[in-house]
Amino acid sequence: MVGRWKLIAQRKKYDSSGRESPLTDNYFRDIHYDSISGNVVGILTKGPPAKGQILVDASGKVIGKTPAIVFVTTWRPGVASARTTSSSTRSEPTAPATAREPSLSDEQNRNLIKYAAYAIGGAMALRLLLSTFFALYILAFPAVFLYALQTLPSAESFDAKKEIKRVMRGAHLPEDHVEKPRGWLGETVARVQASVATELATGLGYEVSMYTVIHAIHMATVNVPSVNRGYVWAGAFGKWRYLYSTELESNPDVST
């Protein structure tokens, strides 16, 4: 509606002497909707009250050749009426505001480049290290395997009673273990107790089973039904090493 009123106002105007003359864009100070009378008024003077010319009356009729001069008390300089404000809002949509992304400073850019260089350098160093370890593994594995084949202890060298005795006197325990015998007297007492316990445990019979892993490691298992325990050793590199013991699920057949 405001655009229509402005178009009508730009076609004709009447000055105070009643002479008809073409309107210009700057003829009226403002196009105002008078909420009291319901008229659309072209403001001529500031006032108060402001002097204006009715362009469209309250019924919506466009005022023609006979000008109607009125005084408006609802107009204030620089304050748009509710009707014209809402019309202007509908006719002239504002462009959506775009949020500006904060830019990085030179110092931040330098730090970012530095950290990226550190990350790339670390990745390259890690890759080189892994490649080196893999190459060493490929080269060392055949040599270690051949050495294990040459130093594999024979199955006949495994003495079940001797190995059980060593376990019972704590020979496999680390030096800082609380149950590790200490001193000459402690070690002597432990040997005697282990010998007696071994003879009592194996006196009723025990079972030895053995198998070989990749032709380089012997695995020996000794089941002692009298104490309901199974002991496991690994034979490699010229030596038998105790691994662990487990509780037997059921009493197997006893063989001596």
Side-chain angles (χ1 to χ4, degrees):
M1 285 298 294
V2 175
R4 180 183 174 188
W5 296 336
K6 289 184 178 179
L7 179 61
I8 294 171
Q10 287 173 357
R11 290 178 179 176
K12 289 185 178 182
K13 80 160 180 83
Y14 296 88
D15 57 17
S16 59
S17 62
R19 293 176 300 172
E20 184 177 329
S21 61
L23 284 175
T24 60
D25 292 342
N26 59 358
Y27 177 73
F28 294 115
R29 293 181 178 273
D30 193 8
I31 303 298
H32 176 67
Y33 171 73
D34 185 10
S35 59
I36 298 177
S37 63
N39 300 324
V40 177
V41 180
I43 303 300
L44 298 172
T45 62
K46 292 183 178 181
K51 181 180 179 180
Q53 177 181 330
I54 299 177
L55 303 178
V56 181
D57 63 12
S59 63
K61 179 181 177 180
V62 178
I63 303 301
K65 294 183 179 181
T66 303
I69 304 300
V70 294
F71 291 93
V72 181
T73 59
T74 58
W75 179 79
R76 296 290 184 275
V79 180
S81 63
R83 180 71 63 87
T84 57
T85 302
S86 61
S87 301
S88 300
T89 303
R90 292 193 299 269
S91 61
E92 299 178 1
T94 57
T98 57
R100 295 184 59 187
E101 297 183 358
S103 59
L104 299 177
S105 63
D106 294 340
E107 183 66 22
Q108 290 175 328
N109 286 328
R110 286 193 294 269
N111 291 335
L112 186 61
I113 294 173
K114 180 175 65 174
Y115 295 148
Y118 287 161
I120 295 174
M124 294 178 63
L126 180 61
R127 181 178 179 182
L128 179 61
L129 186 62
L130 292 177
S131 299
T132 303
F133 283 152
F134 182 74
L136 292 175
Y137 172 78
I138 294 298
L139 294 175
F141 180 77
V144 174
F145 182 72
L146 290 175
Y147 179 73
L149 289 177
Q150 294 176 356
T151 59
L152 178 65
S154 63
E156 293 76 13
S157 65
F158 180 74
D159 188 339
K161 285 188 175 183
K162 178 181 177 181
E163 296 298 335
I164 293 175
K165 187 183 299 184
R166 287 174 54 84
V167 171
M168 289 189 174
R169 66 182 175 86
H172 64 288
L173 298 176
E175 294 298 330
D176 57 349
H177 198 278
V178 294
E179 297 182 1
K180 180 77 171 180
R182 290 175 174 79
W184 176 83
L185 180 60
E187 292 178 356
T188 301
V189 172
R191 285 192 180 94
V192 173
Q193 291 177 345
S195 298
V196 174
T198 301
E199 292 299 331
L200 292 176
T202 60
L204 298 177
Y206 58 92
E207 180 183 12
V208 179
S209 60
M210 189 174 300
Y211 61 94
T212 305
V213 180
I214 62 172
H215 303 287
I217 302 175
H218 285 318
M219 300 297 297
T221 302
V222 179
N223 294 329
V224 184
S226 61
V227 293
N228 197 30
R229 302 293 297 179
Y231 302 90
V232 181
W233 287 263
F237 302 106
K239 187 177 181 181
W240 290 95
R241 292 173 175 82
Y242 172 74
L243 299 181
Y244 61 90
S245 66
T246 59
E247 183 177 354
L248 299 179
E249 296 180 358
S250 60
N251 292 330
D253 296 335
V254 178
S255 62
T256 56

